């Protein structure tokens, strides 16, 4: 299995916005390093370094039409972003 961290973006002063992609990656990489140092884990079968994926999330909010909406982005191990698409309402 994979080990990853889930971080509320607001708790570290961030918002999930494509314009802040570099900042999200920078903070995400720092948090992943800290997670590996402070909470080491070892895969039972593989040489796996621990937390190498991080999800920044925002709190869900209710839209005017009553549906819930939340945004997230994943900081991948290659320092790339994987964005949630707003139109999916996930």
């Amino acid at each position: 299995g994979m080990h990853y961290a889930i971080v509320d973006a607001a708790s570290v002063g961030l918002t999930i916005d494509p314009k802040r992609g570099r900042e999200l990656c920078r903070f995400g990489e720092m948090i992943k390093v800290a997670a590996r140092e402070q909470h080491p884990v070892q895969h039972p079968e593989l040489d796996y370094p621990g937390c190498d994926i991080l999800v920044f999330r925002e709190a869900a909010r209710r839209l005017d039409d009553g549906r819930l909406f939340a945004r997230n982005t994943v900081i991948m191990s290659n320092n790339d972003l994987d964005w949630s698409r707003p139109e999916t309402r996930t």
Side-chain angles (χ1 to χ4, degrees), residues 2 12 15-16 20-21 26 28-29 32-34 37-40 46-47 49 53 57 59 63-64 68 76 80-81 88:
M2 300 190 74
V12 291
T15 57
I16 299 174
R20 299 185 78 178
R26 186 171 59 85
E29 290 300 322
K32 288 191 294 186
V33 168
E37 291 173 354
Q38 296 174 33
H39 303 285
L46 304 173
D47 183 21
I53 295 177
R57 62 170 292 280
L63 300 175
D64 292 339
L68 288 174
M76 307 299 287
D80 197 9
L81 293 171
T88 64

Side-chain angles (χ1 to χ4, degrees), residues 55-74:
V55 179
F56 280 119
R57 62 170 292 280
E58 289 181 345
R61 63 184 186 275
R62 193 156 304 276
L63 300 175
D64 292 339
D65 62 10
R67 292 182 291 166
L68 288 174
F69 174 81
R71 186 177 296 184
N72 69 70
T73 189
V74 178

